[in-house]
Amino acid sequence: SSVPRNVLGKYNAELPDQQRRELVGDLQIYSKRFLVSAELEGDVVTLYSGEANATQEMAAQEELQKLLKFYLRSSPEVISEPVPLQRHATAPADRSAPRAAASPPLLTVPLIVDPELGAGIDVECGPHGYQVVSVDDMPGQKFEPGDIIIAIAGKSLAGLEEEEQEEIFGENFEEGAVLQILKASR
């Protein structure tokens, strides 16, 4: 049975022919290594989910951005953000059918920081990143308690000591910083 393919991201990749051929070869190696699929279609690299879990997908996205940055000599332009699997609503009748264990959905959201109130979040260090303990009504965030912030501005918080997590989060803490959120299973 084939695994459903979810688009994890699309990146602009306008390159001369020679570099395109090299990139296609690198994407094949990359796809095998990260258990995902990255394909060059026209001037766009599309990253599809594969057999990777959410944490592996996060690492795959970071690595793809580094690979494209190498080829483009600048950060790749993100054309589309990941589409969480949960948006594909299933009819209530399907809920009784046994389902394969899916990895929790991954969200990409901007950090909202008010000049006076700050971000209004309380977090705790954990093995996968920052566990969200509470979110104040103001300024409000696009995530909720129980979710895990696994990366900020493309820098992973997973598997780091508390001091390292605090340092990375602090250095990248600003209005609009892109967060990768692992949704809590509800």
Side-chain angles (χ1 to χ4, degrees), residues 11-12 39 42 44 48-49 78-80 87 89 91 94 96 107-108 111 132 140 155 160 163 186:
Y11 306 92
N12 207 352
E39 299 168 13
V44 176
Y48 296 100
S49 61
V78 178
I79 297 169
S80 78
R87 286 199 195 148
D94 293 352
S96 59
L107 291 182
T108 303
L111 180 64
V132 178
K155 294 173 181 66
L160 302 177
E163 297 77 33
R186 306 219 185 287

Side-chain angles (χ1 to χ4, degrees), residues 8 34-36 49-61 101-104 106 128 150 182:
L8 300 176
F34 285 94
L35 304 174
V36 294
S49 61
E51 297 170 26
N53 63 32
T55 307
Q56 291 167 323
E57 285 177 355
M58 176 67 210
Q61 283 176 305
S103 55
L106 206 56
H128 304 296
I150 60 173
L182 191 58

Side-chain angles (χ1 to χ4, degrees), residues 112-119 138-139 175:
I112 301 167
V113 181
D114 182 275
E116 288 162 24
L117 301 172
M138 294 300 294
E175 171 68 29

Side-chain angles (χ1 to χ4, degrees), residues 63-180:
E63 194 61 33
L64 179 60
Q65 288 179 6
K66 287 180 194 164
L67 181 65
L68 292 175
K69 192 171 187 174
F70 169 77
Y71 275 96
L72 299 168
R73 310 241 185 303
S74 66
S75 292
E77 178 193 344
V78 178
I79 297 169
S80 78
E81 293 294 350
V83 178
L85 286 166
Q86 70 192 28
R87 286 199 195 148
H88 307 296
T90 53
D94 293 352
R95 297 198 192 283
S96 59
R99 299 179 67 169
S103 55
L106 206 56
L107 291 182
T108 303
V109 299
L111 180 64
I112 301 167
V113 181
D114 182 275
E116 288 162 24
L117 301 172
I121 60 174
D122 186 19
V123 294
E124 285 179 357
C125 182
H128 304 296
Y130 272 144
Q131 179 95 32
V132 178
V133 177
S134 65
V135 178
D136 296 344
D137 291 339
M138 294 300 294
Q141 298 292 340
K142 293 182 165 92
F143 50 88
E144 48 201 12
D147 293 347
I148 300 171
I149 301 170
I150 60 173
I152 181 168
K155 294 173 181 66
S156 179
L157 301 172
L160 302 177
E161 295 295 323
E162 188 169 352
E163 297 77 33
E164 293 173 291
Q165 284 184 353
E166 287 173 5
E167 186 178 323
I168 289 171
F169 200 82
E171 286 173 358
N172 295 283
F173 180 90
E174 64 183 10
E175 171 68 29
V178 177
L179 302 178
Q180 286 279 328

